[in-house]
Amino acid sequence: MSRYEKLAAEYGTPLYVYDLDEVAAAREQLFDQLPEPFELFYALKANPHPDLLKALRSGDGRRCRAEISSTGELANALAAGFAGSDCMYTGPGKTFGELREAMSLGVRMFSTDSVTDVQHVGQVATELGITAECLLRVNLATASAGSGIRMTGTPSQFGFDAERLPEELGELRRVDGVTIAGMHLFPLSNTADEDALISEFQNTIAGAAALSELLDLPLRYLDIGGGFSVPYGVPGGRASYPKLRQELEIALDVHFPNWRAGSPQLACESGRYLIGASGTLLAGVSNVKVSRGKKFVILDAGINTFGGMSGLGRLMPVQVGTDDEEPTETVSLVGPLCTPGDTFGRAVKVPGLAPGDVIRIPNVGAYGPTASLLMFLGRPSPTEVVVRGDEIVSVSRLDHSRSYDYQAVAR
Ligand SMILES: *Cc1c(COP(=O)(O)O)cnc(C)c1O
């Protein structure tokens, strides 16, 4: 029996398996590809599992910070040992309730998306007698390859329109309780093409420098975003960016000559790259049927378990492996839910499968259970087992239940 077969036999399916060795390898790889000094935020949105968080928090001099966007994510970060001061709180709709909770628990850095967002942060900070640091999330929305900086953005709930910042800055500077500490840009996600990623970062760095000068706003902190790529639900490895470190150094030397001394302190961020490859989903085959000549393989995992977006009409191009067999046929791979939307693929190559078999979907460490339609159709959440090589670190499952305790849910 292979390791995966053993785990499936022991804990049942559907089963997420995360390997902490792989998390550590990804963290090392990403830090290796970045200049020093550079800070790296892990976006909890990708997967808030506490053991993954702990693995990202540890590491000699190469510890991640936490990028959070809700009080639930904050609670997870704190439980995993992050301090409030390790966190950056992002999102375009921060409420007074969550700002109060975040600041009370020690969060000081906020990525902000509008004048009123900064005012809300300032109001709560003032109430609490503290000073919060606001990064201005900037929506440059420029194509990276062009010459010069086009500040003609597409409309977005995220970030300040760069071209309006000159007129908004006066108002921002008048907000009590905050310092405008720097900028945050996040133009891009999941880019395996190194040249495209580098050119986007160059654009971001040049854009931030130009804006800082135009606004006469020195930056203490500059988060240049992310875009680091790993396959999702299909085989393959993390993208590699062998030229990135040097290209970033060159761009930073041009635009921020004191960056090596930490002025500004540079940061970037990632969710998927740090954990995507650590996860494998094991799903059981519940049934196989033929309808009008087409074979359907029905799994015990569907869009309630993985890739919930497919329920909204976007098919996940999953590929399936088993331990020893090559694909021999093409089938519709579907989940158990009572909706035709519960489909992983309509032409997925699989080995001959029968009820009781276990299949594997690789690279599911990011955007797994918590990004799926966990509650839909009321099945239990998948079991999640964390391993370090052959050692079992934890076995757990998210609960869903209704609470009638108003205090517990009030925000
Ligand atoms: C979602 C998100 C991330 C993580 O994106 P990945 O593609 O998983 O790396 C990082 N930063 C911000 C602001 C995000 O919204």
Side-chain angles (χ1 to χ4, degrees):
M1 252 202 226
S2 80
R3 167 196 189 204
Y4 287 121
E5 282 172 328
K6 276 188 207 138
L7 290 167
E10 174 86 20
Y11 301 110
T13 56
L15 181 70
Y16 274 86
V17 182
Y18 308 108
D19 190 337
L20 295 182
D21 285 342
E22 196 59 38
V23 177
R27 191 195 58 211
E28 287 301 308
Q29 186 177 357
L30 190 44
F31 271 112
D32 280 343
Q33 296 172 119
L34 295 173
E36 283 170 51
F38 231 87
E39 295 192 336
L40 176 57
F41 283 92
Y42 171 62
L44 267 74
K45 177 180 70 185
N47 191 330
H49 193 297
D51 290 326
L52 303 186
L53 297 182
K54 283 179 200 155
L56 291 166
R57 216 194 117 252
S58 56
D60 299 333
R62 292 183 146 196
R63 301 174 37 176
C64 294
R65 299 181 64 180
E67 179 174 338
I68 55 174
S69 199
S70 70
T71 51
E73 288 188 345
L74 173 57
N76 280 319
L78 296 176
F82 287 101
S85 56
D86 292 325
C87 299
M88 171 169 60
Y89 205 110
T90 68
K94 305 171 201 77
T95 65
F96 288 111
E98 64 184 310
L99 287 171
R100 253 173 232 124
E101 185 166 334
M103 287 184 217
S104 306
L105 291 168
V107 179
R108 291 293 177 271
M109 186 182 270
F110 294 85
S111 169
T112 53
D113 296 83
S114 60
V115 173
T116 38
D117 195 21
V118 175
Q119 288 168 339
H120 294 177
V121 173
Q123 182 179 326
V124 174
T126 304
E127 257 173 43
L128 297 176
I130 60 168
T131 303
E133 282 200 301
C134 288
L135 301 184
L136 306 180
R137 181 158 172 182
V138 178
N139 178 5
L140 292 175
T142 51
S144 58
S147 59
I149 300 156
R150 282 189 290 118
M151 293 209 181
T152 51
T154 51
S156 170
Q157 73 265 53
F158 301 112
F160 288 82
D161 297 343
E163 67 276 16
R164 289 200 51 214
L165 269 176
E167 55 179 292
E168 290 175 327
L169 190 68
E171 224 176 327
L172 290 172
R173 289 195 199 271
R174 283 194 294 276
V175 178
D176 289 330
V178 305
T179 55
I180 307 299
M183 294 178 188
H184 172 208
L185 299 93
F186 185 71
L188 190 73
S189 185
N190 206 12
T191 309
D193 175 346
E194 179 170 36
D195 291 332
L197 186 73
I198 286 171
S199 114
E200 194 63 52
F201 278 139
Q202 288 167 336
N203 186 63
T204 292
I205 290 165
L211 203 50
S212 159
E213 190 171 322
L214 176 72
L215 300 173
D216 194 19
L217 178 73
L219 307 182
R220 184 191 82 69
Y221 206 88
L222 175 60
D223 179 342
I224 62 170
F228 310 104
S229 177
V230 66
Y232 183 48
V234 295
R238 285 182 293 278
S240 105
Y241 305 103
K243 297 180 288 187
L244 179 62
R245 181 182 181 124
Q246 193 182 7
E247 292 296 338
L248 283 176
E249 288 173 353
I250 292 167
L252 290 168
D253 284 339
V254 169
H255 295 287
F256 294 102
N258 298 321
W259 72 274
R260 289 173 200 269
S263 177
Q265 173 60 54
L266 270 298
C268 65
E269 52 197 73
S270 174
R272 70 186 70 231
Y273 194 83
L274 289 164
I275 51 159
S278 77
T280 305
L281 174 60
L282 308 182
V285 175
S286 299
N287 214 341
V288 177
K289 69 168 270 193
V290 176
S291 166
R292 305 218 157 98
K294 187 166 175 63
K295 193 177 261 193
F296 289 80
V297 172
I298 302 159
L299 304 173
D300 57 13
I303 54 178
N304 57 329
T305 304
F306 178 66
M309 291 301 284
S310 63
L312 305 174
R314 209 179 72 178
L315 284 187
M316 301 293 317
V318 299
Q319 283 178 35
V320 161
T322 56
D323 276 324
D324 34 41
E325 288 166 77
E326 292 297 308
T328 55
E329 57 183 354
T330 300
V331 303
S332 257
L333 193 64
V334 304
L337 306 186
C338 296
T339 162
D342 192 18
T343 297
F344 285 133
R346 299 201 173 91
V348 181
K349 291 198 172 70
V350 296
L353 291 172
D357 286 347
V358 172
I359 60 125
R360 259 195 334 250
I361 301 178
N363 289 319
V364 298
Y367 305 108
T370 60
S372 301
L373 303 179
L374 276 184
M375 307 278 280
F376 195 37
L377 274 286
R379 288 170 181 264
S381 302
T383 306
E384 298 173 80
V385 54
V386 178
V387 302
R388 189 182 285 106
D390 289 331
E391 175 201 350
I392 305 285
V393 175
S394 73
V395 183
S396 66
R397 182 151 68 195
L398 287 166
D399 249 352
H400 25 272
S401 61
R402 184 173 303 277
S403 172
Y404 286 92
D405 177 357
Y406 170 74
Q407 288 307 321
V409 296
R411 279 289 169 268

